[in-house]
């Protein structure tokens, strides 16, 4: 088992850890990696800031049923517009 991550692996673990999907050992290896890699350290900071910004925005999404109704309406409007 290797202890040091490559940068592409570190980015993947960074993403996983922000969604609480990374294991303890993955997080430990990631922490070790960002101690020595300024590029990945910067990526982790930007990724954290992006996640915090999205959470603060308190975004709402449509339910699948609402999306389907909207899609149908848009298709009907597009068809009506092309007939004119």
């Amino acid at each position: 088992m290797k202890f040091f991550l490559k940068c592409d692996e570190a980015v993947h673990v960074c993403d996983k850890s922000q969604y609480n999907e990374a294991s303890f050992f993955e997080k430990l290896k990631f922490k070790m990696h960002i101690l020595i890699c300024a590029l990945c350290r910067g990526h982790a900071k930007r990724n954290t800031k992006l996640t915090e910004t999205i959470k603060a925005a308190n975004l709402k999404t449509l339910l699948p049923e609402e999306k389907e109704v909207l899609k149908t309406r848009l298709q009907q409007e597009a068809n009506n517009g092309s007939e004119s």
Side-chain angles (χ1 to χ4, degrees):
M1 179 181 288
K2 63 182 182 170
F3 194 71
F4 291 102
L5 297 172
K6 295 179 183 176
C7 288
D8 60 336
E9 296 169 325
V11 167
H12 183 67
V13 173
C14 178
D15 294 342
K16 283 176 62 174
S17 67
Q18 291 211 317
Y19 295 106
N20 297 319
E21 296 173 353
S23 69
F24 172 77
F25 193 62
E26 286 177 318
K27 291 177 187 177
L28 179 64
K29 292 192 297 185
F30 176 68
K31 296 277 186 191
M32 295 293 292
H33 181 86
I34 63 172
L35 285 174
I36 59 172
C37 182
L39 290 174
C40 289
R41 189 169 44 250
H43 172 78
K45 286 180 183 179
R46 289 187 303 275
N47 206 17
T48 300
K49 185 171 178 92
L50 176 62
T51 299
E52 290 170 354
T53 302
I54 290 171
K55 285 181 182 177
N58 198 21
L59 300 173
K60 305 289 184 211
T61 60
L62 295 174
L63 296 172
E65 299 83 24
E66 295 170 322
K67 288 180 186 179
E68 199 57 41
V69 168
L70 184 59
K71 183 178 176 182
T72 303
R73 275 186 64 199
L74 288 171
Q75 287 175 339
Q76 288 173 347
E77 290 292 326
N79 290 340
N80 290 340
S82 65
E83 292 174 1
S84 300

